[in-house]
Amino acid sequence: MALEAQNKISESDIARHHRVSHSTVNRIIHSFYESQSLNFNHLPENLCFHEFKSVKSAVGSLVCEA
């Protein structure tokens, strides 16, 4: 189920496919990702930044979201 969650498919569809409840799918997905520890001592290989105008009235001012 956790591997199926990597595809663009809803938790409800995964639950129907495996004949379990939506809560079971959610619990399995979260337990799969909780077991992976995060290491904050180094940066990842790729970083993503998104700049956008926060309001229409802002002239040339962009907000950066990482």
Side-chain angles (χ1 to χ4, degrees), residues 38-64:
L38 298 176
N39 185 354
F40 294 106
N41 294 327
H42 71 278
L43 290 174
E45 185 176 332
N46 299 305
L47 295 175
C48 179
F49 295 94
H50 182 223
E51 294 178 335
F52 60 95
K53 285 196 175 193
S54 59
V55 292
K56 289 183 181 180
S57 62
V59 180
S61 299
L62 295 176
V63 175
C64 183

Side-chain angles (χ1 to χ4, degrees), residues 1-11 14 18 25-26 28-30 32-33:
M1 282 186 240
L3 293 177
E4 233 179 291
Q6 293 176 347
N7 301 324
K8 289 188 177 185
I9 183 170
S10 70
E11 289 182 3
I14 295 172
H18 293 280
V25 174
N26 192 301
I28 289 172
I29 291 171
H30 284 283
F32 178 77
Y33 290 107

